[in-house]
């Protein structure tokens, strides 16, 4: 697999980069406490890693930040982008990009349609939207795949398209829920690099959840153990 | 003021209220219908001037000379048909799960279930009657019968052909329910484990899988039992006649020109309900007893259970049922294009399309009302069920086991027991013989099946697709229309096809609520079945079978066309 080192960069005019702040988060599931007093700041372009065994509430924390927490959880504390409080906003108004273990490309849409689905509605005009899509694919070295069925691509290609889709939606922060754990070792290192490069180039505060020390090391950033909360 | 009003409206029609609305749509008419049957059974029927409560109807009912044998015919055929269908489907799955013949049987389930049972009963009658296709195929060279033998095979007093007709429809249904339960219960792993411990297939299945899945197939079994005990259309076509089964007897009383029979009919309808409740109760007790008795047997270590006989018997029986099914369809097709088909001939001697030509006007009329009622009621059902399930998803709570009982409720109440009441109510409300009443009444039976078929795929859909869409700033509404529904297109269309097939098959609802103004292919076919004119009956029965089949074919093919370039969503 050829992966060049070019990077797709959203020339976003919509907002200046902001930091992600978690203040005194306390999460419990049906009365049982998962963590408490979790406070943390992530600067634009910074990648912070959260580590911990399964079941410690890592994924639930990401769900809490993105606003997709299931109903039987209860959350206290605040999630902020700079000064802007997100805590009571529905997920679609938070603009926090999520990447999961699976690429979750929409199976009924082509690659182009998947990417187009991510572009905000305020980007008007078919021309401009298609231009954005081809630029993203170009910069990621995937330009020939636009009209393809996602199911016909390799795992690595799909994973990169999922990243582009998220970036095209112009998120203000990025959450990574073990997005590398399903890939084999070699692909994993390169894809990791791809994701981190894009997160930094787009100035996104990024939170990575993993149980793999390798992933954590490779960010070169702060590593936080969930068991500390 | 206006704003206040519109916000009230939006609350009324919001997603949250849909489950309650849906329950009311199909439970209220059933309950109200039951009540309106109970009142006349105790002498209260103002229409015919009876307003005082009395038990005369019951005395007359129990004194009626036809009652004992009618009751016996209903109970025996209902229990035997259910029991045999269950044993057959269980033993076939036990002996053949994971084999190629199992796969073949599985593939043919959908078309079999799509065919209305009355069409099947008509075909079966054409097949097994003394002058039927089976006799023709072996006469006179093998039997020496130059004319049809003078025995009552159809309408036999023991209800044997009725039992056979019920089995052809119910065995595939139970098979489907068992398969659905297997998919949810790690049956494959259990089976493998049991086999590594030295258990032979049948014993492994009966001992390690059946006890786990039985509680999942219990409600479907009760529904089958209730259906068999109270079925009207199949009993009219195949069942005993002098006297008929209880449900048919009750129907006769309802239709009697002498209005005073209405109260006896109502009492009979109620008796029918009590019979169903009683038999389900006895079945339930028997389950408990068998479960108790088999406890030591489960762990006594015997590792085989009549393996070879079960394997052979179940396969032969199931193949016979499938053969009868396809033979029934084929013989209907032949008769519908027959001009002349004399007795011992194997095939018609003169073919023609005159049966179609001469009835074309009436065929068009009954087909279009069948299509209209079926499509609208199943479409409404799909919308209601999707709204209920989407509400579940958004509230993060799924309805419990109690809800499943509610869904099965209308399937366990004999139709004849509450449809008379529904008829009375529609007349009172001034909507009798209207499209509204017809579609609503079909909806009562369509809704449960649509719910049952859509629930699993809907609940199992990976919600992270929606979460991804939301995190990209897409509204929940847009995510629902652009992601949720397209990804569920296949099960949605399938549920629509099931709903349609259920609606097409309805006989009694059309009869009772249609007030004679509506005729569907099914009511025409069943009403004609007594006429003996096979060519005309066949035309109606064939169309009746074709419409749901076409609907299923479309439901299966359409996603393949739409998703022809989408490998992940293509059929297997």
């Amino acid at each position: 697999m050829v992966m060049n080192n070019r990077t797709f960069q959203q020339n976003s005019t919509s907002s200046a980069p902001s930091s992600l702040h978690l203040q005194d988060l306390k999460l419990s599931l049906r009365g049982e406490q998962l963590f408490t007093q979790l406070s943390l700041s992530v600067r634009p372009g910074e990648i912070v890693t959260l580590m911990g065994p399964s079941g410690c509430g890592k994924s639930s924390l990401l769900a809490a930040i993105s606003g997709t927490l299931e109903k039987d959880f209860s959350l206290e504390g605040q999630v902020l982008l700079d000064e802007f409080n997100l805590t009571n906003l529905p997920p679609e108004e938070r603009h926090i990009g999520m990447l999961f273990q699976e690429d979750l490309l929409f199976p009924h849409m082509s690659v182009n349609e998947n990417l187009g689905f991510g572009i905000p509605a305020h980007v008007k005009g078919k021309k401009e939207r298609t231009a954005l899509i081809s630029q993203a694919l170009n910069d990621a070295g995937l330009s020939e795949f636009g009209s393809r069925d996602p199911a016909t691509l390799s795992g690595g290609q799909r994973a990169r398209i999922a990243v582009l889709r998220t970036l095209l939606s112009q998120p203000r922060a990025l959450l990574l829920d073990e997005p590398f754990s399903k890939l084999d070792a070699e692909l994993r290192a390169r894809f990791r690099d791809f994701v981190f490069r894009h997160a930094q180039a787009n100035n996104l505060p990024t939170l990575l959840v993993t149980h793999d020390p390798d992933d954590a090391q490779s960010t070169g950033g702060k590593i936080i153990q969930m068991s500390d909360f | 003021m206006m704003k206040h009003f519109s916000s009230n409206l939006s609350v009324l029609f919001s997603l949250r209220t849909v489950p309650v609305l849906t329950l009311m749509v199909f439970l209220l008419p059933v309950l109200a219908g039951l009540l309106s049957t109970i009142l006349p059974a105790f002498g209260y029927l103002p229409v015919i001037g009876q307003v005082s409560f009395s038990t005369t109807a019951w005395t007359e009912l129990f004194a009626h000379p036809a009652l004992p044998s009618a009751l016996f015919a209903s109970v025996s055929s209902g229990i035997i048909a259910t029991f045999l269908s269950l044993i057959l489907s269980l033993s076939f799955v036990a002996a053949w799960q994971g084999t190629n013949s199992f796969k073949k049987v599985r593939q043919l389930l959908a078309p079999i279930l799509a065919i209305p049972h009355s069409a099947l009963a008509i075909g079966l009658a054409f097949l097994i009657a003394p002058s039927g296709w089976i006799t023709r195929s072996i006469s006179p060279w093998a039997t020496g019968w130059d004319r049809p033998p003078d025995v009552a095979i159809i309408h036999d007093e023991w209800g044997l052909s009725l039992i056979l007709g019920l089995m052809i429809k119910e065995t595939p249904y139970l098979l489907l329910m068992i398969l659905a339960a297997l998919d949810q219960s790690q049956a494959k792993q259990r089976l493998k484990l049991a086999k590594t411990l030295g258990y032979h297939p049948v014993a492994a299945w009966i001992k390690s899988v059946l006890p786990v899945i039985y509680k999942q197939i219990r409600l479907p079994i009760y529904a089958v039992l209730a259906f068999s005990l109270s079925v009207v259309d199949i009993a009219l076509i195949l069942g005993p006649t002098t006297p008929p089964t209880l449900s048919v007897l009750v129907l006769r009383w309802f239709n009697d020109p002498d209005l005073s029979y209405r109260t006896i009919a109502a009492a009979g309808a109620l008796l029918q309900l009590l019979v169903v409740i009683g038999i389900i109760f006895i079945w339930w007790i028997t389950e408990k007893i068998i479960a108790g008795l088999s406890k030591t047997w489960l762990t006594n270590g015997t590792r085989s259970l009549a393996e070879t006989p079960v394997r052979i018997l179940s396969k032969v029986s199931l193949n016979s049922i499938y053969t009868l099914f396809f033979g029934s369809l084929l013989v209907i097709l032949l008769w519908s294009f027959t001009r002349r088909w004399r007795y011992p001939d194997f095939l018609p001697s003169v073919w023609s399309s005159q049966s179609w030509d001469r009835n074309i006007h009436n065929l068009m009329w009954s087909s279009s009302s069948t299509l209209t009622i079926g499509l609208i009621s199943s479409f409404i059902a799909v919308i209601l069920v999707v709204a209920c399930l989407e509400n579940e998803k958004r509230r993060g709570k799924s309805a419990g086991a109690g809800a499943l009982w509610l869904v099965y409720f209308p399937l366990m109440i004999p139709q004849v027991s509450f449809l008379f009441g529904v008829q009375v109510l529609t007349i009172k409300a001034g909507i009798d013989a209207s499209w509204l009443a017809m579609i609503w009444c079909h909806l009562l039976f369509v809704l449960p099946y649509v719910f049952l078929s859509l629930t699993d795929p809907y609940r199992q859909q990976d919600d992270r697709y929606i979460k991804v869409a939301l995190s990209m700033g897409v509204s929940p509404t847009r995510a629902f229309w652009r992601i949720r529904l397209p990804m569920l297109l296949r099960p949605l269309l399938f549920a629509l096809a099931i709903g349609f097939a259920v609606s097409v098959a309805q006989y009694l609802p059309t009869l009772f609520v249609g007030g004679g103004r509506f005729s569907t292919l099914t009511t025409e076919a069943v009403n004609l079945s007594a006429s003996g004119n096979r060519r005309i009956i066949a035309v109606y029965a064939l169309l009746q079978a074709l419409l749901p089949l076409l609907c299923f074919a479309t439901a299966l093919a359409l996603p393949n066309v739409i998703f022809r370039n989408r490998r992940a969503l293509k059929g297997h």
Side-chain angles (χ1 to χ4, degrees):
Chain A
M1 186 174 72
V2 187
M3 221 184 247
N4 66 7
N5 282 327
R6 286 193 301 178
T7 305
F8 168 63
Q9 205 172 336
Q10 188 73 252
N11 44 357
S12 164
T13 49
S14 54
S15 57
S18 31
S19 301
L20 175 70
H21 304 287
L22 311 180
Q23 286 179 355
D24 284 330
L25 288 190
K26 182 177 156 190
L27 186 69
S28 44
L29 172 60
R30 288 185 225 100
E32 197 181 319
Q33 195 162 295
L34 288 168
F35 53 76
T36 176
Q37 285 190 315
L38 191 149
S39 295
L40 164 68
S41 289
V42 191
R43 292 188 317 276
E46 186 189 7
I47 301 168
V48 172
T49 308
L50 281 165
M51 291 198 69
S54 48
C56 70
K58 287 177 303 196
S59 295
S60 308
L61 171 62
L62 296 194
I65 299 169
S66 65
T68 56
L69 211 51
E70 301 297 335
K71 292 279 180 338
D72 32 9
F73 286 91
S74 62
L75 179 75
E76 286 171 42
Q78 290 189 323
V79 179
L80 305 159
L81 273 172
D82 284 345
E83 312 287 288
F84 187 58
N85 189 352
L86 302 182
T87 322
N88 296 316
L89 289 182
E92 66 271 20
E93 288 171 27
R94 296 190 182 200
H95 301 285
I96 292 190
M98 282 277 272
L99 286 175
F100 293 94
Q101 254 178 42
E102 285 82 22
D103 51 74
L104 298 177
L105 293 178
F106 304 128
H108 57 298
M109 296 181 179
S110 68
V111 169
N112 277 337
E113 287 163 349
N114 261 285
L115 296 177
F117 189 80
I119 301 175
H122 64 71
V123 181
K124 294 261 191 281
K126 204 180 165 195
K127 225 176 175 181
E128 201 176 334
R129 295 175 73 89
T130 4
L132 259 177
I133 295 172
S134 8
Q135 189 207 337
L137 284 172
N138 241 331
D139 290 352
L142 293 163
S143 49
E144 68 268 41
F145 296 115
S147 55
R148 289 275 290 272
D149 171 10
T152 62
L153 305 184
S154 75
Q157 290 161 342
R158 293 167 56 100
R160 281 183 288 158
I161 286 162
V163 175
L164 296 180
R165 182 175 66 174
T166 306
L167 293 175
L168 281 170
S169 74
Q170 303 185 355
R172 288 183 286 187
L174 188 60
L175 306 179
L176 309 173
D177 193 353
E178 308 203 31
F180 317 121
S181 60
K182 284 239 165 130
L183 304 171
D184 62 56
E186 194 200 354
L187 187 59
R188 185 181 182 125
R190 276 190 296 182
F191 179 59
R192 210 157 53 193
D193 176 56
F194 179 89
V195 174
F196 294 161
R197 204 150 30 82
H198 279 87
Q200 279 155 350
N202 289 279
N203 257 325
L204 293 171
T206 301
L207 205 51
L208 166 69
V209 151
T210 183
H211 56 254
D212 180 17
D214 242 27
D215 288 346
Q217 297 293 319
S218 65
T219 62
K222 222 187 301 180
I223 301 174
I224 293 167
Q225 295 292 337
M226 280 293 280
S227 48
D228 297 345
F229 299 99
Chain B
M1 175 69 192
M2 201 56 211
K3 201 177 167 191
H4 187 69
F5 178 69
S6 74
S7 83
N8 267 345
L9 260 188
S10 74
V11 167
L12 190 64
F13 291 109
S14 81
L15 215 46
R16 271 167 179 268
T17 53
V18 172
V20 179
L21 182 77
T22 308
L23 279 180
M24 282 179 4
V25 160
F26 80 101
L27 286 186
L28 275 188
V30 177
L31 291 174
L34 267 181
L35 189 70
S36 314
T37 310
I38 293 173
L39 292 179
F42 289 96
Y44 182 82
L45 190 59
V47 191
I48 60 166
Q50 292 203 27
V51 286
S52 61
F53 284 85
S54 75
T55 51
T56 331
W58 290 93
T59 327
E60 283 172 356
L61 173 69
F62 286 117
H64 199 284
L67 187 76
S69 22
L71 204 54
F72 179 76
S74 286
V75 170
S76 60
S77 58
I79 293 180
I80 294 173
T82 309
F83 180 74
L84 290 179
S85 307
L86 180 63
I87 293 294
L88 177 52
S89 46
L90 286 177
S91 55
F92 182 80
V93 178
W96 296 92
Q97 192 181 355
T99 63
N100 275 336
S101 30
F102 187 71
K103 270 182 215 143
K104 261 181 230 150
V105 162
R106 184 172 199 163
Q107 281 163 354
L108 289 172
L109 285 179
I112 294 187
L113 291 170
I115 309 288
H117 40 257
S118 43
L120 215 57
I122 287 170
L124 186 67
F126 290 179
L127 213 53
I128 63 173
S131 63
W133 208 20
I134 294 179
T135 322
R136 286 167 197 245
S137 67
I138 51 170
S139 298
W141 53 273
T143 56
W145 294 331
D146 288 323
R147 42 185 67 234
D150 188 19
V151 283
I153 294 181
I154 308 300
H155 303 306
D156 64 295
E157 62 176 320
W158 300 104
L160 294 180
S161 53
L162 171 60
I163 291 172
L164 188 63
L166 286 168
M167 281 181 71
I168 296 179
K169 192 65 186 169
E170 286 170 355
T171 311
Y173 174 72
L174 287 174
L175 271 174
L176 188 76
M177 292 296 123
I178 294 170
L179 290 174
L182 285 180
D183 289 343
Q184 296 172 354
S185 63
Q186 304 169 319
K188 272 188 191 145
Q189 292 94 310
R190 280 168 188 281
L191 218 50
K192 247 185 221 159
L193 184 79
K195 283 179 187 168
T196 61
L197 294 173
Y199 282 83
H200 293 275
V202 177
W205 201 88
I206 302 285
K207 286 188 170 187
S208 75
V209 176
L210 181 58
V212 185
I213 63 156
Y214 189 83
K215 58 175 183 293
Q216 283 162 274
I217 58 171
R218 178 182 282 138
L219 280 173
I221 292 173
Y222 293 171
V224 164
L225 193 55
F227 177 82
S228 309
L229 286 165
S230 62
V231 66
V232 169
D233 41 11
I234 302 184
L236 277 172
I237 299 165
L238 296 173
T241 46
T242 47
T245 59
L246 180 59
S247 55
V248 174
L249 194 61
V250 169
L251 181 62
R252 260 189 216 167
W253 290 335
F254 274 133
N255 289 334
D256 201 294
D258 180 356
L259 289 179
S260 65
Y261 267 101
R262 291 287 195 285
T263 54
I264 306 180
L270 219 53
L271 178 65
Q272 175 74 69
L273 174 66
L274 295 177
V275 165
V276 167
I277 294 174
I279 302 289
I280 289 181
F281 182 71
I282 292 172
W283 189 283
W284 178 74
I285 297 275
T286 317
E287 277 171 17
K288 298 279 153 214
I289 295 173
I290 292 177
L293 289 178
S294 62
K295 256 195 184 129
T296 47
W297 176 78
L298 280 178
T299 53
N300 71 355
T302 37
R303 278 157 164 74
S304 61
L305 181 75
E307 302 283 331
T308 314
V310 169
R311 203 168 309 152
I312 295 173
L313 265 179
S314 64
K315 186 153 187 193
V316 169
S317 318
L318 200 68
N319 280 348
S320 315
I321 283 196
Y322 271 46
T323 309
L324 285 175
F325 170 78
F326 287 106
S328 302
L329 283 189
L330 197 58
V331 75
I332 293 175
L333 180 67
L334 292 183
W335 271 111
S336 77
F337 288 102
T338 291
R339 174 89 175 265
R340 191 179 170 85
W341 188 355
R342 281 206 309 213
Y343 162 65
D345 294 350
F346 180 62
L347 285 174
S349 51
V350 185
W351 301 82
S352 95
S353 60
Q354 70 168 29
S355 310
W356 295 88
D357 303 337
R358 287 189 186 165
N359 294 288
I360 192 72
H361 181 74
N362 198 17
L363 280 173
M364 295 288 269
W365 161 240
S366 8
S367 303
S368 56
S369 53
T370 305
L371 272 172
T372 313
I373 297 168
L375 287 178
I376 295 182
S377 61
S378 48
F379 202 72
I380 295 175
V382 168
I383 292 175
L384 287 174
V385 170
V386 164
C388 286
L389 292 169
E390 181 62 20
N391 177 58
E392 250 184 38
K393 286 268 189 197
R394 294 197 185 174
R395 296 182 61 186
K397 263 186 208 151
S398 54
L404 205 56
W405 273 94
L406 287 180
V407 169
Y408 269 98
F409 181 67
L411 305 183
M412 290 199 260
I413 306 285
Q415 291 193 347
V416 80
S417 305
F418 71 93
L419 281 176
F420 171 67
V422 169
Q423 184 187 42
V424 171
L425 289 174
T426 55
I427 293 171
K428 240 181 213 165
I431 55 166
D432 56 308
S434 66
W435 285 100
L436 172 69
M438 280 306 295
I439 289 167
W440 194 349
C441 196
H442 279 237
L443 190 60
L444 304 184
F445 306 97
V446 169
L447 247 176
Y449 286 101
V450 168
F451 183 84
L452 292 173
S453 99
L454 208 46
T455 312
D456 283 344
Y458 210 99
R459 286 186 181 155
Q460 281 159 17
Q461 197 191 29
D462 190 344
D463 288 329
R464 292 179 307 170
Y465 284 106
I466 301 297
K467 288 180 185 169
V468 163
L470 295 181
S471 76
M472 293 192 296
V474 168
S475 72
T477 312
R478 193 169 144 79
F480 171 77
W481 288 104
R482 295 285 311 277
I483 308 296
R484 173 91 75 207
L485 289 191
M487 283 181 71
L488 286 171
L489 181 66
R490 192 176 291 277
L492 283 170
L493 289 176
F494 199 74
L496 202 62
I498 287 182
F500 181 72
V502 170
S503 164
V504 172
Q506 298 306 318
Y507 171 68
L508 222 45
T510 317
L511 201 64
F512 266 112
V513 178
R517 253 196 61 204
F518 286 88
S519 68
T520 61
L521 291 168
T522 296
T523 55
E524 293 288 298
V526 176
N527 292 341
L528 282 168
S529 70
S531 74
N533 187 339
R534 288 187 177 162
R535 285 166 299 190
I536 296 178
I537 303 170
V539 167
Y540 283 93
L542 187 65
L543 257 188
Q544 194 196 355
L546 272 183
L547 288 186
L549 270 185
L550 282 178
C551 197
F552 266 94
T554 314
L556 293 175
L558 204 58
N560 287 345
V561 175
I562 294 174
F563 296 136
R564 63 190 172 281
N565 296 322
R566 298 286 174 261
R567 209 169 63 187
L569 294 171
K570 261 195 153 156
H572 317 294

